[in-house]
PDB file of all heavy atoms in Angstrom:
ATOM      1  N   ASP A 167     -12.679   2.167   4.428  1.00 98.00           N
ATOM      2  CA  ASP A 167     -13.988   1.903   3.828  1.00 98.00           C
ATOM      3  C   ASP A 167     -14.095   2.445   2.551  1.00 98.00           C
ATOM      4  O   ASP A 167     -14.285   3.662   2.445  1.00 98.00           O
ATOM      5  CB  ASP A 167     -15.106   2.348   4.946  1.00 98.00           C
ATOM      6  CG  ASP A 167     -16.533   2.042   4.439  1.00 98.00           C
ATOM      7  OD1 ASP A 167     -16.650   1.503   3.355  1.00 98.00           O
ATOM      8  OD2 ASP A 167     -17.356   2.336   5.213  1.00 98.00           O
ATOM      9  N   VAL A 168     -14.058   1.633   1.567  1.00 97.00           N
ATOM     10  CA  VAL A 168     -14.068   2.016   0.142  1.00 97.00           C
ATOM     11  C   VAL A 168     -15.486   2.784  -0.179  1.00 97.00           C
ATOM     12  O   VAL A 168     -15.464   3.624  -1.141  1.00 97.00           O
ATOM     13  CB  VAL A 168     -13.761   1.058  -0.827  1.00 97.00           C
ATOM     14  CG1 VAL A 168     -12.399   0.567  -0.506  1.00 97.00           C
ATOM     15  CG2 VAL A 168     -14.727  -0.038  -0.941  1.00 97.00           C
ATOM     16  N   GLU A 169     -16.625   2.461   0.437  1.00 97.00           N
ATOM     17  CA  GLU A 169     -17.792   3.178   0.152  1.00 97.00           C
ATOM     18  C   GLU A 169     -17.744   4.526   0.762  1.00 97.00           C
ATOM     19  O   GLU A 169     -18.433   5.410   0.076  1.00 97.00           O
ATOM     20  CB  GLU A 169     -18.944   2.320   0.802  1.00 97.00           C
ATOM     21  CG  GLU A 169     -19.079   0.970   0.085  1.00 97.00           C
ATOM     22  CD  GLU A 169     -20.075   0.061   0.793  1.00 97.00           C
ATOM     23  OE1 GLU A 169     -19.944  -0.130   1.990  1.00 97.00           O
ATOM     24  OE2 GLU A 169     -21.099  -0.319   0.122  1.00 97.00           O
ATOM     25  N   ALA A 170     -17.205   4.810   1.769  1.00 97.00           N
ATOM     26  CA  ALA A 170     -17.047   6.106   2.454  1.00 97.00           C
ATOM     27  C   ALA A 170     -15.925   6.936   1.825  1.00 97.00           C
ATOM     28  O   ALA A 170     -15.992   8.094   1.823  1.00 97.00           O
ATOM     29  CB  ALA A 170     -16.794   6.011   3.971  1.00 97.00           C
ATOM     30  N   GLU A 171     -14.882   6.310   1.400  1.00 97.00           N
ATOM     31  CA  GLU A 171     -13.666   7.136   0.844  1.00 97.00           C
ATOM     32  C   GLU A 171     -13.489   6.693  -0.610  1.00 97.00           C
ATOM     33  O   GLU A 171     -12.589   6.190  -1.079  1.00 97.00           O
ATOM     34  CB  GLU A 171     -12.401   6.524   1.679  1.00 97.00           C
ATOM     35  CG  GLU A 171     -12.514   6.970   3.140  1.00 97.00           C
ATOM     36  CD  GLU A 171     -12.585   8.498   3.312  1.00 97.00           C
ATOM     37  OE1 GLU A 171     -11.888   9.174   2.420  1.00 97.00           O
ATOM     38  OE2 GLU A 171     -13.106   8.884   4.267  1.00 97.00           O
ATOM     39  N   ILE A 172     -14.479   7.128  -1.401  1.00 96.00           N
ATOM     40  CA  ILE A 172     -14.512   6.884  -2.805  1.00 96.00           C
ATOM     41  C   ILE A 172     -13.257   7.555  -3.547  1.00 96.00           C
ATOM     42  O   ILE A 172     -12.552   6.895  -4.365  1.00 96.00           O
ATOM     43  CB  ILE A 172     -15.759   7.435  -3.458  1.00 96.00           C
ATOM     44  CG1 ILE A 172     -16.846   6.495  -2.878  1.00 96.00           C
ATOM     45  CG2 ILE A 172     -15.790   7.322  -5.034  1.00 96.00           C
ATOM     46  CD1 ILE A 172     -18.300   7.028  -3.238  1.00 96.00           C
ATOM     47  N   GLU A 173     -13.085   8.852  -3.282  1.00 96.00           N
ATOM     48  CA  GLU A 173     -11.953   9.524  -3.856  1.00 96.00           C
ATOM     49  C   GLU A 173     -10.571   8.985  -3.539  1.00 96.00           C
ATOM     50  O   GLU A 173      -9.644   8.729  -4.403  1.00 96.00           O
ATOM     51  CB  GLU A 173     -11.959  11.064  -3.565  1.00 96.00           C
ATOM     52  CG  GLU A 173     -11.055  11.871  -4.318  1.00 96.00           C
ATOM     53  CD  GLU A 173     -11.222  13.415  -4.055  1.00 96.00           C
ATOM     54  OE1 GLU A 173     -12.231  13.774  -3.760  1.00 96.00           O
ATOM     55  OE2 GLU A 173     -10.210  14.124  -4.144  1.00 96.00           O
ATOM     56  N   LEU A 174     -10.352   8.601  -2.263  1.00 97.00           N
ATOM     57  CA  LEU A 174      -9.113   8.001  -1.826  1.00 97.00           C
ATOM     58  C   LEU A 174      -8.880   6.661  -2.497  1.00 97.00           C
ATOM     59  O   LEU A 174      -7.780   6.267  -2.913  1.00 97.00           O
ATOM     60  CB  LEU A 174      -9.116   7.855  -0.228  1.00 97.00           C
ATOM     61  CG  LEU A 174      -7.905   7.160   0.372  1.00 97.00           C
ATOM     62  CD1 LEU A 174      -6.608   8.055   0.047  1.00 97.00           C
ATOM     63  CD2 LEU A 174      -8.067   7.038   1.891  1.00 97.00           C
ATOM     64  N   THR A 175     -10.007   5.815  -2.621  1.00 96.00           N
ATOM     65  CA  THR A 175      -9.989   4.642  -3.309  1.00 96.00           C
ATOM     66  C   THR A 175      -9.506   4.754  -4.673  1.00 96.00           C
ATOM     67  O   THR A 175      -8.745   3.934  -5.185  1.00 96.00           O
ATOM     68  CB  THR A 175     -11.316   3.802  -3.057  1.00 96.00           C
ATOM     69  OG1 THR A 175     -11.582   3.770  -1.676  1.00 96.00           O
ATOM     70  CG2 THR A 175     -11.295   2.490  -3.671  1.00 96.00           C
ATOM     71  N   ALA A 176     -10.100   5.779  -5.374  1.00 95.00           N
ATOM     72  CA  ALA A 176      -9.751   6.019  -6.753  1.00 95.00           C
ATOM     73  C   ALA A 176      -8.313   6.419  -6.932  1.00 95.00           C
ATOM     74  O   ALA A 176      -7.637   5.886  -7.912  1.00 95.00           O
ATOM     75  CB  ALA A 176     -10.608   6.983  -7.397  1.00 95.00           C
ATOM     76  N   LEU A 177      -7.762   7.241  -5.998  1.00 95.00           N
ATOM     77  CA  LEU A 177      -6.398   7.600  -6.015  1.00 95.00           C
ATOM     78  C   LEU A 177      -5.432   6.528  -5.892  1.00 95.00           C
ATOM     79  O   LEU A 177      -4.383   6.389  -6.461  1.00 95.00           O
ATOM     80  CB  LEU A 177      -6.143   8.783  -5.036  1.00 95.00           C
ATOM     81  CG  LEU A 177      -6.651  10.133  -5.379  1.00 95.00           C
ATOM     82  CD1 LEU A 177      -6.492  11.066  -4.093  1.00 95.00           C
ATOM     83  CD2 LEU A 177      -6.052  10.715  -6.420  1.00 95.00           C
ATOM     84  N   ALA A 178      -5.878   5.515  -5.018  1.00 95.00           N
ATOM     85  CA  ALA A 178      -5.089   4.468  -4.725  1.00 95.00           C
ATOM     86  C   ALA A 178      -5.205   3.262  -5.851  1.00 95.00           C
ATOM     87  O   ALA A 178      -4.478   2.283  -5.797  1.00 95.00           O
ATOM     88  CB  ALA A 178      -5.448   3.773  -3.334  1.00 95.00           C
ATOM     89  N   GLN A 179      -6.148   3.474  -6.772  1.00 95.00           N
ATOM     90  CA  GLN A 179      -6.444   2.573  -7.867  1.00 95.00           C
ATOM     91  C   GLN A 179      -6.782   1.163  -7.278  1.00 95.00           C
ATOM     92  O   GLN A 179      -6.329   0.190  -7.729  1.00 95.00           O
ATOM     93  CB  GLN A 179      -5.246   2.516  -8.797  1.00 95.00           C
ATOM     94  CG  GLN A 179      -4.900   3.922  -9.361  1.00 95.00           C
ATOM     95  CD  GLN A 179      -3.748   3.804 -10.316  1.00 95.00           C
ATOM     96  OE1 GLN A 179      -3.076   2.771 -10.436  1.00 95.00           O
ATOM     97  NE2 GLN A 179      -3.422   4.895 -11.037  1.00 95.00           N
ATOM     98  N   VAL A 180      -7.609   1.161  -6.195  1.00 96.00           N
ATOM     99  CA  VAL A 180      -8.055  -0.142  -5.686  1.00 96.00           C
ATOM    100  C   VAL A 180      -9.393  -0.310  -6.303  1.00 96.00           C
ATOM    101  O   VAL A 180     -10.297   0.371  -6.104  1.00 96.00           O
ATOM    102  CB  VAL A 180      -8.180  -0.013  -4.046  1.00 96.00           C
ATOM    103  CG1 VAL A 180      -8.815  -1.267  -3.633  1.00 96.00           C
ATOM    104  CG2 VAL A 180      -6.744   0.279  -3.613  1.00 96.00           C
ATOM    105  N   ASP A 181      -9.538  -1.544  -6.891  1.00 95.00           N
ATOM    106  CA  ASP A 181     -10.889  -1.851  -7.465  1.00 95.00           C
ATOM    107  C   ASP A 181     -11.183  -3.325  -7.156  1.00 95.00           C
ATOM    108  O   ASP A 181     -12.247  -3.763  -7.688  1.00 95.00           O
ATOM    109  CB  ASP A 181     -10.781  -1.726  -9.013  1.00 95.00           C
ATOM    110  CG  ASP A 181      -9.725  -2.505  -9.698  1.00 95.00           C
ATOM    111  OD1 ASP A 181      -8.892  -3.258  -9.079  1.00 95.00           O
ATOM    112  OD2 ASP A 181      -9.605  -2.416 -10.959  1.00 95.00           O
ATOM    113  N   ARG A 182     -10.500  -3.988  -6.428  1.00 97.00           N
ATOM    114  CA  ARG A 182     -10.860  -5.425  -5.927  1.00 97.00           C
ATOM    115  C   ARG A 182     -10.837  -5.362  -4.307  1.00 97.00           C
ATOM    116  O   ARG A 182      -9.819  -4.812  -3.857  1.00 97.00           O
ATOM    117  CB  ARG A 182     -10.105  -6.378  -6.554  1.00 97.00           C
ATOM    118  CG  ARG A 182     -10.303  -6.396  -7.995  1.00 97.00           C
ATOM    119  CD  ARG A 182      -9.493  -7.500  -8.709  1.00 97.00           C
ATOM    120  NE  ARG A 182      -7.989  -7.175  -8.645  1.00 97.00           N
ATOM    121  CZ  ARG A 182      -7.025  -7.972  -8.737  1.00 97.00           C
ATOM    122  NH1 ARG A 182      -7.299  -9.388  -8.970  1.00 97.00           N
ATOM    123  NH2 ARG A 182      -5.726  -7.709  -8.634  1.00 97.00           N
ATOM    124  N   PHE A 183     -11.652  -6.104  -3.744  1.00 97.00           N
ATOM    125  CA  PHE A 183     -11.722  -6.134  -2.252  1.00 97.00           C
ATOM    126  C   PHE A 183     -11.792  -7.609  -1.749  1.00 97.00           C
ATOM    127  O   PHE A 183     -12.329  -8.327  -2.322  1.00 97.00           O
ATOM    128  CB  PHE A 183     -12.959  -5.302  -1.857  1.00 97.00           C
ATOM    129  CG  PHE A 183     -13.105  -4.031  -2.566  1.00 97.00           C
ATOM    130  CD1 PHE A 183     -14.136  -3.843  -3.611  1.00 97.00           C
ATOM    131  CD2 PHE A 183     -12.146  -2.968  -2.398  1.00 97.00           C
ATOM    132  CE1 PHE A 183     -14.208  -2.721  -4.294  1.00 97.00           C
ATOM    133  CE2 PHE A 183     -12.332  -1.873  -3.178  1.00 97.00           C
ATOM    134  CZ  PHE A 183     -13.427  -1.698  -4.089  1.00 97.00           C
ATOM    135  N   PRO A 184     -11.139  -7.803  -0.573  1.00 98.00           N
ATOM    136  CA  PRO A 184     -10.312  -6.869   0.127  1.00 98.00           C
ATOM    137  C   PRO A 184      -8.971  -6.681  -0.685  1.00 98.00           C
ATOM    138  O   PRO A 184      -8.514  -7.631  -1.302  1.00 98.00           O
ATOM    139  CB  PRO A 184     -10.025  -7.491   1.496  1.00 98.00           C
ATOM    140  CG  PRO A 184     -10.216  -8.918   1.235  1.00 98.00           C
ATOM    141  CD  PRO A 184     -11.227  -9.029   0.167  1.00 98.00           C
ATOM    142  N   THR A 185      -8.348  -5.573  -0.421  1.00 98.00           N
ATOM    143  CA  THR A 185      -6.968  -5.332  -0.840  1.00 98.00           C
ATOM    144  C   THR A 185      -6.116  -4.968   0.300  1.00 98.00           C
ATOM    145  O   THR A 185      -6.463  -4.164   1.070  1.00 98.00           O
ATOM    146  CB  THR A 185      -6.841  -4.268  -1.964  1.00 98.00           C
ATOM    147  OG1 THR A 185      -7.488  -4.635  -3.191  1.00 98.00           O
ATOM    148  CG2 THR A 185      -5.531  -3.764  -2.318  1.00 98.00           C
ATOM    149  N   LEU A 186      -4.975  -5.613   0.355  1.00 98.00           N
ATOM    150  CA  LEU A 186      -4.072  -5.340   1.472  1.00 98.00           C
ATOM    151  C   LEU A 186      -2.956  -4.609   0.875  1.00 98.00           C
ATOM    152  O   LEU A 186      -2.274  -5.116  -0.129  1.00 98.00           O
ATOM    153  CB  LEU A 186      -3.586  -6.587   2.075  1.00 98.00           C
ATOM    154  CG  LEU A 186      -2.578  -6.454   3.179  1.00 98.00           C
ATOM    155  CD1 LEU A 186      -3.154  -5.663   4.367  1.00 98.00           C
ATOM    156  CD2 LEU A 186      -2.008  -7.811   3.703  1.00 98.00           C
TER     157      LEU A 186
END
Side-chain angles (χ1 to χ4, degrees):
D167 178 354
V168 300
E169 294 173 304
E171 295 298 327
I172 295 168
E173 190 172 330
L174 180 60
T175 303
L177 285 171
Q179 299 177 356
V180 174
D181 59 0
R182 294 182 292 158
F183 313 110
T185 290
L186 178 66

